[in-house]
Amino acid sequence: MREIWIARTVLAVAAVGVIGACGGGDGSVGDRGSRDGGGGPWMLDASLSSAGAGIAFCDEVTGHVAGFMAQFEGQLPPSERYGGTVVVGSIGEIPNGMNNHVSQDYTATQHQSFLNLMTLVKYDKDLNPVPYLAESWEVSDDGTELTFHIRDDVYWHDGELTDAYDVAYTYRRAIDPATAFPNTAYWTHYDQGPAGVEVVDSFTVKFRLRPHADFIDPWRPTAIMPEHLLEDVPSAELSQHPYGSVCPVGNGPFIFVEHRESASWTFQANPAFPADLGGRPYLDRYVFRTISEQTTLLTELLTEGLDVFIAPTPDQAQAIIDSDAVDLKQYPFRQYVFVGWNARRPQLSDKRVRQALTRGTNRQEIVDALLQGYGTVANGSVPPFHWAHDPSVGKEAMSYDQDAARALLDAAGWTDRDGDGVRENADGDRLSISIKYNEGNGVRQGIAEIMQAQLAEIGVEVAPTVVEWGTLLSQIGEPTVRDFDGVVMGWVVEYKLDDTDLFHSSNLSNTYGYSGTQRPDMDELMERLPLVVDRDEAKPLWTEYQELLVDEQPYMFFYFPDRLDGVSKRLRGVEMDSRGEWLSVKDWWISAD
C-alpha cells in the first residue's frame, strides 16, 4: 500500500479561506513588470472554480492546492531577481493541456516537462541524461533491470508527496492500449507484462527490459502523472478528463492557475519546489497566450505585449533583428516539416503516385522562398545533426523532375482522359487531393499553395485547406476518422530515433499512424535498429532504412528548419536549444530596470 502524506489532510482545512481569492489571471499584461517584494499569496483565479462547477473532481483538488499553498504566503527568498510576470505567445492552443498520458503536441510536452510537471531525467548541454525527479539510477550488469531512486522532497501541488507509485502508475498507463498514449514505441523493449515494473519501496522503482540503445531517453519527455488523482479513472476516459485542461495538479516549478480556451494559460510560482533543484522560480507568474495571427504576434513582441514569441516565420526574423527591444534566437532543431499522405485513400495508395508528388514539387525553390536561408531540404526523417544521417540518400530519387513525375503517374494508371488538365484513373476518378494545414501558420499555407500550382503542371488537382490546430490533430490522429488526403505538419524527433510509431505496420491504428503504409522490410529494420547498440554496426542499417523510406514515400519530407524565437531583452536567464524553448523557464527573470 502506498504511504499517505498526512499534511494534505491537515492543510486542506485552510482551503475555505483561500479558494475564492481572485488572482486576476486574465492573461492581461498591464502588470507584467511589477514586483510586490513579498511574493504575495498563492492565487486561484475565480474563473477556475466556475469552470469546474459541477465537477466534483476539480472542486476537490483545487481546494487542496489552495490549502497546501496557503502555508507559504509571504515567503520569498531575498533577491532582486524575484517577481513579475512573463508572457509567451504562440499561434496554437495547448491541446490536452497538462495531460501527458495523451499529449501529442510539442508545446504541451514542453509545458509538462519544464513548468507544471516533472520528468525523471533531463538532458544537459552535451545531451547526457542528468537527474531531475529521479536523484539517481542504476542498470544491472546484463542490462535487463533499470532502477530509479526518486527524490523524497517533491510534492504534488495539493500537498501529496511524489513517489515511486506515481512512476509505476505513469508507466502502466502508457503501456495500456486503452490510454492511447501516442508514443508507444518508447516502451517496445520494456517488459510490458505484470513483472515489467516493481515498486521496491516508496522511493525506488525497478523496470525490466530487453537491452537496447538509448533506453533512458523515454524518461526525458514522459512527465510523471499523479496516481492519487487519476488511478480510479478508466484509461479510455483519460483523454476527456478535466484534469488536463480544467484543473491540472502538477509537481513542477509552476502551479496551474487558469486556462481560458483558445486564449491563455496562467501559472504561478511554486514556493514548495525543492531547494536542491533551485527552489521556487524567479517569476511570480507565467502566462501563455494563444494568438492565431503571426503578424499580431510580431506586433505584440515589438511593442512589449509579449516577452517571448515562439517560432516567428523567417520573413519576420529581420524585424526582430532590427529591434532594439528584442533578440532573435536561432538554433538547430529536432524538427522536420513534411506533407503526410493518407495511403488509405485510393488516389494515394500506390507508392508511384506518392513518389510522383515529390518529383513534381520543387522543394528547394519552396524552401528558398519561404525559409529565407533558415533551413535545409529534407530527404528523410533523420536530422542532419544526428550521427545516423546519410546525406547521399534520396538525392536523385527525390530530386525535382516533372518529366519523371509524369512517367510515374502514367505507369500508375493516372492519365488525363478527358483533356481537362486533371488526370483520371480507369474508373474516371480524378487525381484530386486536399492538403490541410493548421490555422495561423503562413509557412505551411505557403507550402500547400505553391504545391497546388506546381502539381497542376503534372495533372494533379490540389485543394489547400486550413483547419484549426486542435481540430486538425483530431482529424488526422483519430484512427476511426483519418479525415485527410494530405497534411502539412511538423514532427519533433526524439534523441532516440525510432519511426515505429509512424510507419510500422503494427501501428496503423495508433495515433501517429497517419500514412497507413505497410512495408515488411521497413518493419524488420525498425524492429532491429533499436537493438544495435554499437553505432558503427548500426550506421549501414540506418542508411538502408532511409533508402527504403525514400522508396515508400509515406511522407513528402520537406525541410529541417532552424528554430527561431523572439525574446525580449528585459528577460534574462533564457536558454534555448534543441532540447526546447522552455528548458530554463524556472530560471527566467526580469531585469530590475
Side-chain angles (χ1 to χ4, degrees), residues 333-337 371 374-384 389 558-562:
F333 200 46
R334 294 178 287 122
Q335 183 190 39
Y336 60 84
V337 171
L371 297 192
Y374 294 109
T376 58
V377 171
N379 287 333
S381 60
V382 181
H389 179 72
F558 240 96
Y559 59 83
F560 296 103
D562 289 345

Side-chain angles (χ1 to χ4, degrees), residues 228-452:
H228 69 287
L229 296 179
L230 298 173
E231 62 180 329
D232 293 331
V233 180
S235 293
E237 297 177 12
L238 285 170
S239 64
Q240 302 301 319
H241 196 271
Y243 170 90
S245 297
V246 180
C247 53
V249 176
N251 58 358
F254 286 90
I255 304 164
F256 171 81
V257 174
E258 178 196 37
H259 172 217
R260 296 193 173 191
E261 186 71 29
S262 300
S264 67
W265 289 75
T266 302
F267 298 84
Q268 189 156 322
N270 174 14
F273 200 65
D276 286 349
L277 294 176
R280 68 148 273 176
Y282 293 130
L283 300 174
D284 285 339
R285 287 201 307 169
Y286 166 95
V287 177
F288 178 88
R289 292 178 61 194
T290 301
I291 301 173
S292 61
E293 291 292 334
Q294 292 279 151
T295 54
T296 306
L297 280 162
L298 179 61
T299 300
E300 288 283 302
L301 177 71
L302 298 179
T303 58
E304 300 185 348
L306 294 177
D307 294 291
V308 181
F309 173 8
I310 299 298
T313 56
D315 63 353
Q316 296 175 316
Q318 193 60 47
I320 297 173
I321 293 171
D322 293 341
S323 171
D324 293 331
V326 296
D327 289 321
L328 181 71
K329 299 277 189 179
Q330 177 186 354
Y331 47 93
F333 200 46
R334 294 178 287 122
Q335 183 190 39
Y336 60 84
V337 171
F338 65 94
V339 178
W341 302 122
N342 184 358
R344 302 170 185 83
R345 300 292 172 92
Q347 69 269 39
L348 293 164
S349 60
D350 191 324
K351 72 178 182 180
R352 292 172 295 185
V353 173
R354 302 192 298 271
Q355 291 170 353
L357 295 173
T358 297
R359 301 301 297 271
T361 302
N362 193 334
R363 294 176 300 140
Q364 185 65 63
E365 180 181 279
I366 295 174
V367 168
D368 290 343
L370 298 180
L371 297 192
Q372 302 180 19
Y374 294 109
T376 58
V377 171
N379 287 333
S381 60
V382 181
F385 67 78
H386 198 276
W387 60 267
H389 179 72
D390 187 336
S392 68
V393 172
K395 272 198 168 182
E396 174 61 30
M398 297 181 69
S399 63
Y400 176 57
D401 186 336
Q402 289 198 331
D403 288 336
R406 293 185 182 97
L408 285 164
L409 292 174
D410 289 342
W414 293 93
T415 61
D416 184 4
R417 301 169 191 272
D418 57 11
D420 67 348
V422 178
R423 293 172 181 262
E424 297 86 21
N425 63 11
D427 295 329
D429 300 322
R430 293 165 65 86
L431 186 47
S432 179
I433 56 178
S434 67
I435 297 182
K436 295 185 175 182
Y437 58 90
N438 58 295
E439 180 183 36
N441 195 313
V443 173
R444 295 181 188 177
Q445 177 181 351
I447 289 172
E449 291 177 349
I450 296 173
M451 286 180 65
Q452 179 185 36

Side-chain angles (χ1 to χ4, degrees), residues 171-182 184 192 235-236 509-511:
Y171 174 71
R172 291 189 178 112
R173 289 291 200 184
I175 62 173
D176 182 351
T179 302
F181 179 77
T184 56
Q192 299 183 23
S235 293
S509 298
N510 289 351
T511 300

Side-chain angles (χ1 to χ4, degrees), residues 26 88-89 94 107 175 202 212 234 318 321 326 421 460 493 538 562:
D26 59 0
V88 176
I94 304 179
T107 301
I175 62 173
S202 293
H212 61 284
Q318 193 60 47
I321 293 171
V326 296
V460 181
V493 303
D562 289 345

